Amino acid sequence: PKKVERETRPGTVGIVYAGGAIVADDQSSGFGGGGDIVAANRVADAIYRTVRDQSVDAIILRVNSPGGSPTASETIRRAVEHAISNDVPVVVSMGPVAGSGGYWIAANATQIFAMPATLT
């Protein structure tokens, strides 16, 4: 994706949730027998759309995931990297679990916050 020109005025903060096993898309299966999933295509798209929104100055990425697909995790990590390269800081807020792919998608964040008991 190409660099997005940013306006220099106060804006808002976008919040993107990543809670559950990380999979490629909504149709992916094989993780945990159901429950919440982090569909990489949707999360990455939400980050890309937020970067294009000129009123958004930063993104909070809430991560509560035991991990999952390495390829899907990399898809999200690249979207985070894209945001930062377009001058949109990404702040990660880790929930109780940010394992494997959960910490991978947070690795390039501008800043990471975790609770003392967060498993990562």
Side-chain angles (χ1 to χ4, degrees):
K2 67 180 186 172
K3 184 146 173 98
V4 176
E5 293 298 320
R6 309 294 307 163
E7 292 181 14
T8 56
R9 61 179 179 79
T12 57
V13 175
I15 300 175
V16 178
Y17 293 95
I22 301 172
V23 297
D25 56 43
D26 293 338
Q27 306 306 312
S28 300
S29 62
F31 286 94
D36 293 335
I37 62 167
V38 177
N41 64 327
R42 288 182 180 262
V43 173
D45 184 57
I47 293 170
Y48 287 123
R49 280 186 286 116
T50 304
V51 170
R52 287 190 303 269
D53 184 339
Q54 291 293 311
S55 70
V56 176
D57 288 329
I59 296 171
I60 296 174
L61 177 59
R62 177 66 173 176
V63 177
N64 187 27
S65 172
S69 163
T71 304
S73 299
E74 178 64 9
T75 298
I76 298 170
R77 189 198 65 79
R78 286 184 183 176
V80 169
E81 199 171 61
H82 171 74
I84 294 166
S85 72
N86 278 279
D87 302 321
V88 179
V90 178
V91 176
V92 169
S93 167
M94 290 183 173
V97 179
S100 184
Y103 67 75
W104 185 249
I105 66 176
N108 288 92
T110 308
Q111 196 162 15
I112 300 172
F113 293 92
M115 301 182 301
T118 295
L119 298 175
T120 188

